[in-house]
Every structure is written in structure tokens, then in C-alpha cells.
Amino acid sequence: MFGLKADACSIPMPEVYYGLDDYAKSTARWCPGCGGHSILAAVHKVCKDKQYPPEKTVCVSGIGCSSRFPHYMGTYGFHGLHGRAFPVACGVKFRRPDLHLFVITGDGDCCSIGAGHWVHAIRYNMKMVVLLFDNGIYGLTKKQTSPTSALGTHSNTHPHGSVVPPINPLQTTLGFSNVSFVAQTTDWHPAHLQATIWKAADHPGLAFVRIVQRCPMFMKDLYGDMSADPNSLILLNHEKGIDLDPAIAKSFKRNLDHDPSDLGAAREVAEIHDGIPVGLLYQNTENMRYDDYGAHNLGMSIDDKSKALDALLDRYAI
Amino acid sequence: MEKESQIPFGDYFSVDPLASSDASMVETVQKEEPSEHKPVLPNGPRADEAELRTYLKALRHFFADGVKTTLGLTRPVAPVLLAPFIRGQHPDSDYPVFYHPEAHSLHPLRTLLQDKYQDLFSEGEEKILKPNLLRLEGYMRQILTGKNPGDYKNVVQEAFTKLKDLEVHGEEGKQFLKDCGQLEEAMLKSEGVLIEYASAIPFRLLNLELRHRLNATRELTERIRKLTSGLTELLRLHHNVPADKETIDTGQHDLISGLVSFETVEKMMPADATTGWAPERIQRISDALATLEHAAEFFKDHRSMVFVTAELAREFSLDGILQEATLDITTGHPCAKAEAYFRSEMNDLVGIIAAMRMAELELSNEYDEDLHNRYFERFGFVNLREEDVQLLPGLLVIAESRQLLQEPEDFLALVTDNAPIKVLAINRVGELRLPEEDEDLSLFRQELASLALSHRNAYIFQGSSDLPGQLNQALQAGLNSPLPVLWNVLFADKASKDSMYDYVTLNTACESRVFPRLVYDIRAGEQFGSRFSIQANPQADRHFASTSLEVLSAGQTENKEFTLTMADFYAMDPARSGELEIIPPSHYPDNLLPLEDYLTMSSGAIESQLPFIWVLDEKDELHKAVIPFSWLAPCKERLDNWQFIQELAGVNSYHVNRAIEKARNDWETAKIKEMEALKAEMESEIARVRQEEGGKAMDRLVNVLLDLDQVVPAPSSSITQPKAQSPVEQGEEPTVVQKESPPQEEEVEVSAEAWIETFRCTTCNDCINAVPGVFKYNGDKQAYVHNPQGGTFALIVAAAEKCPARCIHPGLPQNPAEPNLEALIKRAEKFN
């Protein structure tokens, strides 16, 4: 034994132990086979393993199939307006930095109407886990083209196939200023999904995770065969990457060594199209965080605030 | 929100909606992130050159005479690796330990809990109990505090009672209680003792080992009893000795199974018959019998003996702790007394062993007078076998190491003798500290273990009770050894009151090379090197052990290596840590060298350099602290001692390193020669071919010019040029390594029963809802097959087809009478 280490038993432990049932609420009403079930189970497990108190955990969502998520979590939640998950989440984090925050958004909610907020949420880099349920379609409203729908996708809005090239959410996020964490995973690999969400939860800033999600109702052909093909996924390997059990990692047929501190390499990985690269594309733990900045006046009493206001107004007194 | 609780607009500033039970938000935030207390590297402007030069001069004076400068910082500091523990943080350790008398084993409590858990629950079962094993351990330790040793069963029951109060909701809560009950029951099946760390721990462990040896003594006593009974019966049969029914055991014994029972023979033979045995034989057997009859008394009167001074017995309360031994409180030299005791009692012991051997030979009718008479006439201690010696009561000496060193003759006589006397030498931490200025500065410390080692005869252990498993192994090995033993153990100072701080000090002393751990076991191998081990020391192949810590530097986190040197140990002494010169960050000179480098570099390289160690102040700021020259000599001496021990162990050995370097140089020289030879050969070959081709080309040219050769073959060269490597094109995608795919035709063994690749389950609820008789969720809400016969094959196949993760494998039908099996099996094929 070398090196004196702190006593593991001295770590204060609360007198409650939260099980999976503490994080689960009502039965999820997503379609059978929807990737949302898997993501929900993974988030439950991460919360349980980290023992987040449910009353100190918040899920914020916009509108879409993805955004039903808060209803299925036994934590606090906010099911907001279409595209407005980010501003609500940023507000929650700014004033309540003690809360564990998950932002659940979809390809339409985030990349279309919510795109403006998306840019600045990344830039403000406040600590939260953003899960983008990207199934390439507007599912809740029964099949309209979304910003991430592949070219030629047939939908109600484009019966002859979509004509505009899709957004690449990874590439886009990597292009925003102050980006600090970008990862990609899939709903059909629960072990990798869970490990990715765990890593995202440990990140000190905004952790953006794009989850490639199946929609068995409207986009059966999109990832249907891929989910059964072990060659479809490319595991990104690095000691600083997603911490995966070696036995699970061995099951991936395709591997790619990738250093997540290299932004340039991350952008190259984001452009891989003959397979889905899964893992941590980019991480920088030293980026500025707006919640750090905002914490300076937390805990001010009413008197302090009154005095501060008075002092400000006195400067203009005649 | 209810209307009553809404804040009226006008009262907005008088009621703080955030002033709820979370009184201080910032405090709450800080509590959520306790890990931010990283050491901080200094960062700031540097003083000007003139100031630096002046300070450097003062620093050199400090190094020489130990007088601190006026610029040095005066805040309290501690060595960086030890600071949290010096300031009261509880270190992780192998304590408390659980001693299992039946299995004769010692385990840290944590290992015991994990082993019991693993015996009960399989790897894949996710139980809420598992992450709470640490909590259970914490409860057990709290309950054990102040009760040393603790009653194991009471501690377990109390701890589980507390654990069961843990709030776990719903079905998981019920399962948790059930699992707790199972684990509690499993733990209560063990009998044992829980021992927390305390200064007297080596004696507690020793007592447990002596108690275990009682089993061997009982076996010996039983063996003697059987021999006694056998000899008695033998005499009765061959010489009419009046029956003493109490001494004769008329039951069947293994030893006399070849003989007829007494009653049968008595009926057949006349009362005064003899079988013609010689009187000498009868006398011999009678003498042996008499010796054996008193042997049990001998062993009863001769428990393990411990020779110790009154002060030590009082200090460690040995009367109460060493209950399996008889204490002989001595004022003189305990080694001499132990040896004298052994010599005086040895004859009796030798007599008993001789009598046992004789009895065994007689009872098996193998006694050969021509051979054995002479043997037993000369029977002495040298004839005792190893297993004989291990049966003997322990003979122990407990003494201060410095006392043994002051009068080494008796100790040396002991370690070079064949008497199995065990010496537990007590070394004090205080003796390892820096010498006081007015003391005689004996530069080289006397090493008791090395002294014993040089005589190569004894079993030697050096270490402390910070690693209870190692200490216990050494005590066991020593007690079982037929040779002399030295346990050279480090103890805390007498006056010490804080047991966990003692633990930290002992651990640091051992791991900073001040009191390195070693084991010498003569029975471990034929050659010296194979008997000697220093592997219990961290990073034993290096001069010092080091570890990496995360530090903050200019707001960035980086990893930095810190080394544990003997100066860190010396700096633990609050009386001496003030002697360090803590350099202000603005005044760091260029010629500072980490102590570990200073001590190991050549004198030329360290000229004009100053050695420093890293220290931490109470604000978690890192500082460089220069050590004075008076610290350097003891540091060098300890390093020299460590290198001596490394050489003995063949680790980082000067000679081995030289041999390796020589071998490497020889190999490189040979390789260079080979390369040169090949190069020369290639060049001559090139020259030869050029010449030849040149000649041929000329010939062809001449022929062409003279119109003699119509066909002009293209010039050829027999030398192949290496292919130029194509540069990597820009914009090329990163190379994806594809693993070799297995051959196409693979025979896949189909499981007879349905099964699920649980780790791939996406918790979609489909199979659980469709076939609950077969599929169930585990603790992680991932499906598994709990009953392969719980549903029809049709339902299982349908579930496999519906499963979005395609992780259900239907296997083969369990019920051959089920309809449409052929079609179902065909459908199931692609999922199996």
C-alpha cells in the first residue's frame, strides 16, 4: 500500500438510499421499441448510482416525444414551450446551482426553433446534461421533416423527399464558442449510453450528448438495420474518453483512437458517415462557466440586496 | 403554488423566496462539490534580480547553518502527501481486522464484507446492499470504537440493525431488508474477533497465534496419551505387570491395531507367563513410559514463555493481552534468560521426543537394538525434526531494540544458535527522528535487523502494524520456524495518545524508507537472494516512492508527481518542521532541486544546488521548503541504508545494473559491426553490379552504333529501390481499425433454453408485459429469463421478434407437444 488515502467510510452518507423506483414516476407512454425507454432507464440508473436526491434533481424539456421525459421522472421537472428548454434550464442553473439538471430536447426542439438558445446555452457553459434525442423526424406531430432528417426523407411536409441537407448537430455544436463537452451515443447500446450520461454528469460545464434514437413508428428504416449490425458503431477510445467496462468495449467491432482534447480531430470524427462514432468527441474542463460567475451573489440576504440597491441609486441622487 | 403562499408584489423585498430551509445557498453549493480542495501551485510576479541574488545568499547561509532568513514564510506547513492526515483526516487502512480462529486467518473487515457478499449474491445481481457495504463498515467501526477487541457478533447485529433503518422506498426497500437479513445471517455464522488499530496490536496478534498453537499442543498431548496407552498394554502383554485399569485404554488404537486385545490374551495366557523379552528391553520401555506419563504434566506446566521487562509489560498491559503465555518479568538481559531457560528445559523436551520415537518404534515392532540403542544413547537436540520443534511451547523475548543493540552479545548468541527463541524487538518512532543538536551525532544508525541478517540463521521480519496482514503472516511464520526469529517491529512513542496519528506516522516511516520493510526466511530458498524480500515496500525498485496528485496551476488542473522522502517523515515532527525555510513564491531561485534528485545525483551535478521538499499550508497552497544541511546527513544515511537493502534483495542493484549496461553495450557494438559489415557488402555488390551493367551497356551501345544489334533491350537494374511512401492526403478521414472478422461459417451453439443478453436490454417493457412468466427485470431494470418454462415457445419467439434491442434468444422449445413447433423454430433461427 502506498500513499495514505482518505478513509472511505468517513465520507458523509445520507440516511436515505434512493432506488430506481425513486426516480421513476408513471409508465412511459412512448411507442413500443422507442429509443426513449432506453434513455429513460439509463438516466434513472445514473441518478441512482450517483444518489442524486430526487428533490434536488430537475429535468427540463421543450416539446416533442423526447420532451415527455419529465413526466416519467420522479424528480422535479419543467415541460416548457417548443424550443425553450435551454433558456429555462439556464435560468434554473443560474439561481440554483445546487440542483442536478438534465435538459431533454429533440432534433426539432433543439436544432430548429430552439437553435438560437442552443448557441448561447453552449456558450454560457453552465453545468447541465443536455440529451438530444435525435431520431431525425418530428414524431409527436406525426412525421414532419426535421433539421436533422437525412436528405430525401419522405414525410408529410416533403412527400417527395426532403431537399435541404440536414444539420450535423455534432459539427454545429463543435463550432459554437466556448463549447466544452460533446459526445455521441445510441439508444440501442444501454451500457455505452449509461456510461456516456455518467461522464456527462461529471462534466463541470454543459455536457452535450447527441443520442442517435430510433423511431419505430415513423422512421423504421433509418436505424432499424443499423441497430442489429455490430459493424455500424465505431467506438472512440481514449483514456480520457468514456469509461467503459473492458468486456463491453471488446464487443465493438470497430474502434478508433481519438483524443477528446483535440478539437480539430473531434470535427473530423463528426464527419464520419460510414458508421456511427460513439464516445467522447470533445471535452475541455477549463472553459469559463457562467454559473460560476453568477454564484458570487448567491446567498445574499434581503438587507444586503437592499443596501446594494440603495448604494446604486445613491450614485444618481441629486 | 397555493395562493396563500404567493408573495404580494409590494412585499417582494421583505420576503426572500430563497430563504427557506437551505439557509445558505452558497454553503449548499460548496457542500455539493467537496472535491475542489486541490493543492494550488504558487503563481505570481517574480522579484527583481537584485533581490533574488540577495535572497539566494541568505538561503545558502540557511542551508549551511540552519538559521532562517527574514524573508522566509512563517506559516504552519506540512509535507504535501501527509498534510490532510496530520490535520486530522482519518486515513484509509486495513483496520479493523477480523480474526477467524478456525480458519486461522486475518482479514480486513472490508474484505470480509465483500467476500461474504460475493458468496451470497452473483456478479450480475444489482443489489442496493452492495454500494452500502461501506456504510455498514462505517457503522461497525463506530460501534467498535473503544471496545478492542470487539465482540464480533454483537457488533454485527448492532450494525445491521442500524443499516436496516436506512430509508429505501417501495419494493426495493423490501428487497434491501431481505438482502440485509441474508448477509447478516451469513456473517453471524463466522466466529471471530474484530480488532481495531491500537499500539498493542502486535501483542494481540501474537496472543491469537499462541492460542492457535494450543491446538498443536493438544494434538501432541493426545498423541502422547495414545503412545502411553500402547506401551502400557505392550508391557502388560509381555511382562505381567499388574493391570491398572486407569492407565490402560482398552479401546482400539491405530498404533496397536496389529496387536490382539488385552482381554483376549489374558484369557489365553497363564497369570505369570512372560514372552522372553530381555530385561533391558523391558527397562527401556518402562523408562520411556515413565517419561511419557509425565509429559502431559510437563506441557501443562510449560506454556509459552515470554521474557520481558516490567516496564514493557506495564506499558502494553501484557498481563491482560498475552493470556496464552506465562510472563517472566526479568530485570536482566531477557535473551540470556531465555537461552538459559531453553537449555535447562531442553533436556526434558528432548527426553520426551526421544521417548515418543522409541514408543513408536516399539509399538510398530520396528525397534532394532543394534541400530537404535546407539541412536537413542546419543539422542539430542540436533535429532529433533522441524515438526517436533513446531510442537514445542513458544519461547519469546520482548525487548527494546536499543537495549538489544547496547548489549548485542546475548542477542547474537541467540540468533546464531539453533534454539527456536523468538525475539520481538520494539523500535520507537522517536528513535528514528532527527538527532537533537546536542546529542552525539552518530551518523549511521545501528540496524538490528541487518545485524541479525548478517548471520543468516534467523527468520527476520522488519515492519510495523500498519499492515496487519503482513505482520500476522510474519508472526505465524516465525512461530512455526524451528530457527531463531527476530520480529523487528516499529511502535509509536510511549507518550502518544492519538492512535490514528500513530498509524500515519508508522506508515510514513516505513514507506519513506526510514524504516523499510523486509523479510528474510532461510527456508524460502537455497540461495540468499531467494530468501530475502523487500516487495512489501512501495515501488521497491526505486529510490523513493512517488504518486501523482491533481493540483491547480493558474486556474488549470494538472497532474504533478510528489515523492515521499525521509525529509517528509522528519517534517511530521512539529518540533522540527519549523526548521524548514519556506521560500516566498516570488523568490524561487533557479538552483532549487527536489530532495529526491539531490540525494541521488552526483556531487558534481548538485554543486551550488539547494534541496527542497513540497509542503502545504492551511490554505492548501503549495510551497517549496529548503531543508538545512543538518537534515541532509540523516537523509543520506537512510537512503544509503535503503540502497544497501535493495542490493541484498537484488533490486536496483549496482552490479546487476552494470551487468545489464555492459550487456547492452556489447549487444549494440555487435549490432553496429554487423550493420557495417552488411553495408560494406551491399556497397561492394552495388559497385560490382554497376561495373557489370556498365560493361554490358557499353557493349550494347557499340553494337548499336556498329549496327550489329537491332534489338535494344531496356536497361535493367538488379537493385530494387524502396517504394516512395505516398503522403497522407489532406481531408482524409481518420483511420478506423476494423478488427479481423471471424470466418464466415461459424458453428453457433444454440442454447436449449431461452436467454437474454441482459446488458443490451433497453428497458422497453415489451417482453415483461407480454411474457411475465419468463422475463423479469433485474435490479437495473434490464430483462433476464427467470423461468425458461414460464411461457410457450410461441410467446417467447414473438417477444424475440418484437424486442427492439434483438437481445432475446428463444433457444429451443421446452414443450415438444406445443403446436406449430416447426414454423416457430424456423422463425427463432435468426435470433439464436
Side-chain angles (χ1 to χ4, degrees):
Chain A
M1 176 184 107
F2 171 63
L4 291 163
K5 295 173 188 56
D7 181 18
C9 297
S10 302
I11 299 165
M13 294 188 225
E15 292 307 311
V16 182
Y17 193 85
Y18 303 106
L20 284 177
D21 288 344
D22 287 303
Y23 301 99
K25 202 171 158 191
S26 48
T27 310
R29 301 281 182 208
W30 291 310
C31 301
C34 173
H37 295 288
S38 176
I39 303 169
L40 181 68
V43 171
H44 285 167
K45 183 115 198 322
V46 169
C47 289
K48 178 211 149 199
D49 287 345
K50 287 189 172 295
Q51 284 295 293
Y52 286 163
E55 69 276 11
K56 291 279 210 168
T57 309
V58 185
C59 286
V60 175
S61 66
I63 294 289
C65 285
S66 65
S67 301
R68 298 291 304 159
F69 201 94
H71 297 271
Y72 309 138
M73 288 285 287
T75 60
Y76 282 110
F78 194 104
H79 188 179
L81 301 177
H82 195 26
R84 316 303 168 195
F86 280 119
V88 172
C90 288
V92 169
K93 195 57 170 177
F94 194 60
R95 291 292 88 188
R96 289 299 301 273
D98 56 312
L99 300 177
H100 305 287
L101 184 53
F102 290 91
V103 179
I104 314 296
T105 183
D107 42 299
D109 190 76
C110 172
C111 307
S112 181
I113 183 170
H117 303 302
W118 178 23
V119 176
H120 300 288
I122 298 289
R123 211 164 60 86
Y124 275 44
N125 193 32
M126 290 195 265
K127 182 171 167 52
M128 61 185 75
V129 175
V130 175
L131 302 177
L132 170 64
F133 289 32
D134 189 356
N135 57 5
I137 200 71
Y138 280 49
L140 187 70
T141 45
K142 299 184 176 56
K143 203 173 184 180
Q144 290 82 37
T145 308
S146 95
T148 61
S149 299
L151 201 59
T153 300
H154 292 263
S155 67
N156 294 336
T157 46
H158 295 89
H160 300 289
S162 61
V163 295
V164 180
I167 283 178
N168 179 335
L170 296 176
Q171 198 64 276
T172 313
T173 312
L174 288 169
F176 293 151
S177 171
N178 209 35
V179 60
S180 68
F181 183 109
V182 177
Q184 178 164 261
T185 184
T186 64
D187 79 77
W188 61 87
H189 202 295
H192 190 272
L193 171 64
Q194 198 188 307
T196 307
I197 296 175
W198 179 283
K199 182 90 178 173
D202 281 343
H203 180 65
L206 189 149
F208 181 86
V209 181
R210 179 198 179 210
I211 305 174
V212 177
Q213 185 203 3
R214 293 163 298 166
C215 175
M217 186 61 70
F218 299 115
M219 298 294 280
K220 208 166 183 172
D221 297 333
L222 180 56
Y223 299 118
D225 289 334
M226 273 183 138
S227 63
D229 179 9
N231 289 313
S232 64
L233 302 181
I234 306 166
L235 181 67
L236 301 179
N237 288 320
H238 197 271
E239 57 182 4
K240 292 183 196 164
I242 303 295
D243 194 8
L244 205 55
D245 190 291
I248 306 278
K250 271 190 196 164
S251 66
F252 284 83
K253 302 283 180 227
R254 298 170 73 189
N255 290 261
L256 175 63
D257 288 333
H258 168 70
D259 179 2
S261 61
D262 186 343
L263 185 58
R267 287 173 176 152
E268 286 181 20
V269 169
E271 287 303 325
I272 292 176
H273 296 296
D274 67 334
I276 304 173
V278 291
L280 182 59
L281 276 81
Y282 180 68
Q283 183 176 28
N284 184 339
T285 56
E286 305 305 325
N287 281 7
M288 185 271 175
R289 287 168 43 198
Y290 203 74
D291 44 350
D292 265 350
Y293 164 74
H296 74 279
N297 64 351
L298 285 173
M300 276 178 88
S301 65
I302 295 286
D303 280 341
D304 289 338
K305 286 179 190 168
S306 298
K307 279 182 193 155
L309 274 173
D310 286 339
L312 184 62
L313 291 169
D314 282 346
R315 288 163 64 184
Y316 302 99
I318 299 165
Chain B
M1 212 157 83
E2 305 256 346
K3 212 176 176 180
E4 296 80 61
S5 59
Q6 280 181 340
I7 302 163
F9 183 77
D11 292 337
Y12 186 75
F13 285 107
S14 55
V15 176
D16 187 345
L18 296 178
S20 60
S21 56
D22 292 322
S24 165
M25 198 64 60
V26 175
E27 204 183 312
T28 312
V29 171
Q30 282 176 348
K31 270 184 193 156
E32 294 288 329
E33 295 177 4
S35 59
E36 291 309 313
H37 296 293
K38 291 181 189 155
V40 180
L41 273 173
N43 186 28
R46 216 162 167 221
D48 61 51
E49 283 304 313
E51 261 191 69
L52 283 173
R53 270 198 300 276
T54 314
Y55 182 64
L56 184 59
K57 242 187 194 169
L59 207 52
R60 288 197 197 287
H61 284 305
F62 158 78
F63 178 64
D65 56 29
V67 174
K68 292 172 72 162
T69 70
T70 49
L71 269 180
L73 303 175
T74 53
R75 57 196 74 171
V77 292
V80 60
L81 292 175
L82 308 168
F85 310 101
I86 292 172
R87 285 165 193 162
Q89 186 170 72
H90 200 283
D92 211 17
S93 72
D94 288 345
Y95 288 97
V97 284
F98 174 71
Y99 178 76
H100 195 305
E102 266 180 43
H104 192 214
S105 61
L106 193 78
H107 295 295
L109 176 61
R110 191 169 300 166
T111 310
L112 174 73
L113 289 171
Q114 284 166 358
D115 288 347
K116 291 282 182 198
Y117 177 89
Q118 274 165 18
D119 287 342
L120 280 176
F121 308 113
S122 61
E123 186 66 35
E125 282 179 271
E126 284 301 320
K127 299 277 180 189
I128 285 182
L129 181 55
K130 189 174 179 188
N132 285 292
L133 288 178
L134 261 184
R135 189 192 294 266
L136 179 63
E137 183 190 334
Y139 290 156
M140 290 178 77
R141 283 160 64 169
Q142 276 171 22
I143 295 160
L144 192 57
T145 307
K147 303 171 196 171
N148 203 9
D151 180 76
Y152 170 70
K153 290 202 166 154
N154 282 347
V155 169
V156 166
Q157 281 166 338
E158 230 180 290
F160 270 99
T161 305
K162 211 167 166 191
L163 185 66
K164 286 173 186 168
D165 282 340
L166 183 66
E167 207 181 315
V168 184
H169 305 124
E171 285 303 314
E172 283 168 312
K174 289 178 191 160
Q175 187 61 41
F176 174 70
L177 289 174
K178 194 173 154 198
D179 296 337
C180 282
Q182 274 186 278
L183 185 61
E184 185 179 358
E185 199 185 310
M187 287 190 66
L188 289 174
K189 280 187 184 151
S190 300
E191 297 274 347
V193 171
L194 275 175
I195 311 173
E196 189 51 278
Y197 174 78
S199 61
I201 206 117
F203 304 114
R204 291 205 185 278
L205 295 177
L206 193 58
N207 190 59
L208 291 169
E209 288 304 316
L210 290 174
R211 190 179 296 168
H212 179 78
R213 280 174 73 88
L214 290 178
N215 292 338
T217 310
R218 277 187 217 110
E219 277 171 28
L220 177 67
T221 316
E222 177 63 17
R223 205 167 124 202
I224 291 173
R225 192 186 62 75
K226 284 183 183 175
L227 288 173
T228 312
S229 175
L231 284 182
T232 307
E233 196 157 336
L234 200 61
L235 280 178
R236 292 275 309 144
L237 281 172
H238 289 277
H239 181 72
N240 193 16
V241 174
D244 176 357
K245 294 236 164 32
E246 283 174 11
T247 58
I248 297 174
D249 180 345
T250 54
Q252 294 296 316
H253 298 285
D254 290 338
L255 289 168
I256 56 167
S257 58
L259 298 173
V260 192
S261 74
F262 172 69
E263 288 90 358
T264 313
V265 174
E266 201 179 36
K267 283 173 197 163
M268 286 167 63
M269 294 186 68
D272 60 349
T274 67
T275 55
W277 275 11
E280 299 82 20
R281 185 178 181 184
I282 293 165
Q283 185 59 48
R284 184 177 64 241
I285 293 173
S286 303
D287 289 344
L289 182 59
T291 307
L292 289 178
E293 276 168 351
H294 290 104
E297 243 178 76
F298 175 87
F299 283 110
K300 200 173 149 192
D301 292 339
H302 289 78
R303 300 201 308 158
S304 294
M305 284 294 292
V306 175
F307 295 87
V308 65
T309 61
E311 285 145 343
L312 287 177
R314 213 168 24 245
E315 183 189 339
F316 293 107
S317 308
L318 293 181
D319 256 336
I321 294 177
L322 290 177
Q323 290 176 355
E324 305 304 334
T326 303
L327 296 187
D328 185 305
I329 307 293
T330 173
T331 48
H333 205 301
C335 285
K337 216 171 172 198
E339 182 113 26
Y341 176 86
F342 178 75
R343 296 271 165 243
S344 69
E345 302 302 316
M346 187 178 69
N347 290 335
D348 288 346
L349 286 168
V350 167
I352 291 170
I353 302 294
M356 286 171 68
R357 294 252 179 101
M358 195 187 293
E360 280 162 5
L361 287 168
E362 287 288 359
L363 287 169
S364 57
N365 213 20
E366 285 173 3
Y367 194 95
D368 181 344
E369 285 186 354
D370 289 334
L371 186 65
H372 292 125
N373 275 358
R374 198 175 161 81
Y375 172 74
F376 283 109
E377 267 165 33
R378 293 167 176 230
F379 194 90
F381 187 71
V382 294
N383 299 102
L384 295 190
R385 295 185 292 239
E386 197 173 296
E387 48 266 35
D388 296 328
V389 177
Q390 286 173 1
L391 295 173
L392 305 179
L395 263 187
L396 297 103
V397 169
I398 298 175
E400 297 271 8
S401 167
R402 63 167 184 270
Q403 183 194 6
L404 296 171
L405 283 166
Q406 275 164 7
E407 295 164 8
E409 301 85 8
D410 292 327
F411 171 71
L412 286 176
L414 198 148
V415 295
T416 48
D417 200 350
N418 275 331
I421 300 175
K422 331 288 178 184
V423 178
L424 197 156
I426 297 173
N427 296 260
R428 306 282 184 173
V429 157
E431 292 160 10
L432 301 176
R433 296 203 195 282
L434 288 167
E436 295 296 334
E437 273 183 295
D438 52 1
E439 265 181 32
D440 254 4
L441 276 176
S442 352
L443 204 55
F444 279 73
R445 196 172 165 267
Q446 291 176 349
E447 299 285 341
L448 189 67
S450 300
L451 187 62
L453 195 61
S454 62
H455 292 81
R456 302 168 316 282
N457 188 42
Y459 173 92
I460 300 165
F461 165 83
Q462 178 164 291
S464 82
S465 48
D466 64 324
L467 297 184
Q470 299 227 339
L471 176 61
N472 195 55
Q473 258 177 24
L475 291 173
Q476 274 181 21
L479 284 172
N480 286 336
S481 173
L483 294 165
V485 172
L486 169 65
W487 299 300
N488 200 34
V489 183
L490 185 63
F491 283 74
D493 291 327
K494 280 185 211 179
S496 170
K497 287 190 171 55
D498 182 345
S499 64
M500 281 331 288
Y501 183 75
D502 290 342
Y503 174 89
V504 170
T505 316
L506 295 179
N507 183 268
T508 308
C510 290
E511 300 200 340
S512 63
R513 317 301 195 214
V514 171
F515 194 82
R517 302 177 181 127
L518 59 90
V519 172
Y520 174 77
D521 184 357
I522 196 171
R523 297 184 298 166
E526 292 291 324
Q527 292 183 308
F528 179 88
S530 61
R531 305 169 188 166
F532 190 73
S533 170
I534 58 170
Q535 290 313 312
N537 294 284
Q539 298 168 39
D541 56 335
R542 301 173 66 185
H543 293 304
F544 301 100
S546 63
T547 192
S548 188
L549 293 182
E550 276 191 347
V551 301
L552 286 172
S553 174
Q556 308 271 341
T557 304
E558 62 183 54
N559 282 319
K560 190 167 175 59
E561 189 110 327
F562 293 100
T563 304
L564 189 69
T565 66
M566 47 290 288
D568 294 82
F569 171 73
Y570 296 143
M572 283 181 78
D573 182 358
R576 306 302 295 263
S577 63
E579 292 174 18
L580 296 169
E581 168 77 9
I582 306 164
I583 308 175
S586 53
H587 286 67
Y588 281 167
D590 290 330
N591 56 341
L592 287 180
L593 209 54
L595 179 64
E596 58 271 21
D597 294 334
Y598 190 92
L599 289 172
T600 52
M601 288 163 74
S602 65
S603 47
I606 62 171
E607 206 179 309
S608 79
Q609 301 288 318
L610 294 168
F612 76 93
I613 61 171
W614 284 103
V615 294
L616 204 64
D617 67 17
E618 280 167 348
K619 290 184 196 166
D620 287 336
E621 285 173 5
L622 280 164
H623 298 280
K624 291 184 181 179
V626 175
I627 65 166
F629 184 80
S630 59
W631 284 38
L632 203 58
C635 289
K636 276 193 89 68
E637 187 274 331
R638 288 290 88 200
L639 179 62
D640 193 69
N641 177 59
W642 170 244
Q643 286 172 321
F644 161 70
I645 287 172
Q646 281 183 312
E647 286 281 358
L648 286 176
V651 171
N652 198 15
S653 162
Y654 168 76
H655 297 287
V656 170
N657 290 342
R658 273 189 68 188
I660 291 172
E661 202 177 316
K662 183 173 180 302
R664 186 182 295 128
N665 289 341
D666 290 345
W667 181 85
E668 278 175 4
T669 309
K671 276 290 160 201
I672 289 170
K673 272 190 190 156
E674 198 183 321
M675 292 288 288
E676 277 170 6
L678 282 172
K679 200 171 157 190
E681 197 185 315
M682 196 173 101
E683 276 170 4
S684 74
E685 181 69 13
I686 290 169
R688 183 193 66 77
V689 169
R690 271 198 190 132
Q691 216 172 15
E692 270 180 25
E693 290 301 313
K696 283 180 189 168
M698 280 310 266
D699 289 342
R700 275 196 291 276
L701 185 60
V702 162
N703 290 338
V704 164
L705 287 173
L706 295 176
D707 236 356
L708 294 173
D709 193 342
Q710 302 293 327
V711 176
V712 181
S716 68
S717 170
S718 61
I719 298 164
T720 54
Q721 298 292 334
K723 281 185 189 165
Q725 288 186 353
S726 54
V728 174
E729 291 172 21
Q730 278 192 349
E732 215 176 71
E733 281 189 5
T735 314
V736 173
V737 172
Q738 181 134 7
K739 286 185 192 168
E740 283 179 15
S741 50
Q744 297 267 329
E745 295 290 325
E746 242 186 69
E747 269 199 45
V748 177
E749 205 177 309
V750 176
S751 164
E753 290 181 346
W755 65 286
I756 291 183
E757 289 175 83
T758 299
F759 76 96
R760 291 180 49 215
C761 170
T762 58
T763 320
C764 69
N765 303 324
D766 283 352
C767 64
I768 304 293
N769 291 336
V771 203
V774 175
F775 305 112
K776 211 173 173 180
Y777 277 149
N778 64 10
D780 271 344
K781 276 204 167 163
Q782 287 179 298
Y784 69 102
V785 171
H786 72 99
N787 180 10
Q789 281 90 27
T792 61
F793 191 62
L795 285 174
I796 295 172
V797 172
E801 287 168 337
K802 207 171 174 199
C803 173
R806 301 195 195 190
C807 61
I808 299 178
H809 305 280
L812 297 169
Q814 300 295 299
N815 177 12
E818 194 175 328
N820 297 328
L821 276 184
E822 215 174 290
L824 288 170
I825 291 171
K826 209 170 162 53
R827 278 166 60 190
E829 257 171 30
K830 61 179 174 187
F831 299 104
N832 276 330

